Amino acid sequence: NDERNAKSLKERTNGAGYKDDTDYSPTIGSNPRMEAYYSFIGLHDTRYDEESKKFVPCVTDEEKHEERKKFLATMRSILPASFRIDRSLDPTIRQNIIEELQEFVGK
């Protein structure tokens, strides 16, 4: 019992050592193997040309590097959340859920 009480009084932390209720910032994800694979297959060898509205070959290594930076920035971006509301729910409950979710759209 004494051991159990001591554990319950101890400040709890998550696996990274942060105290509970800490504001957690998202981590910047990286996967060197994935990045190497996409470079190896030539994913960054083309760029989108706004004028012609087509993908065109990168001419310089600098263009390839810029395409790679854009790709990695896009891969690291946080995607918006989405919800699926079951149509078999009671219509009143379903409508309440929809209205509550609408309050948060775009926030």
Side-chain angles (χ1 to χ4, degrees), residues 3-20:
E3 185 178 331
R4 201 177 300 155
N5 287 338
K7 283 183 180 179
S8 67
L9 293 174
K10 183 180 174 186
E11 283 189 46
R12 295 173 183 242
T13 59
N14 67 10
Y18 293 104
K19 294 178 187 173
D20 289 346

Side-chain angles (χ1 to χ4, degrees), residues 61-103:
D61 286 339
E62 186 176 315
E63 284 181 339
K64 290 180 185 180
H65 182 67
E66 287 302 312
E67 287 304 308
R68 181 177 179 274
K69 283 177 23 182
K70 287 180 193 176
F71 172 76
L72 293 175
T74 302
M75 292 294 286
R76 290 182 179 128
S77 64
I78 297 173
L79 297 174
S82 64
F83 296 90
R84 183 176 287 179
I85 303 168
D86 194 339
R87 292 182 180 180
S88 67
L89 284 174
D90 177 89
T92 305
I93 295 172
R94 189 170 190 277
Q95 186 59 37
N96 287 342
I97 292 172
I98 291 171
E99 288 171 5
E100 285 182 32
L101 288 173
Q102 286 297 322
E103 292 178 32

Side-chain angles (χ1 to χ4, degrees), residues 43-60:
L43 182 72
H44 316 299
D45 293 349
T46 59
R47 63 179 175 77
Y48 186 71
D49 181 51
E50 291 289 337
E51 191 174 305
S52 67
K53 305 289 186 205
K54 295 181 180 181
F55 284 93
V56 296
C58 291
V59 178
T60 65

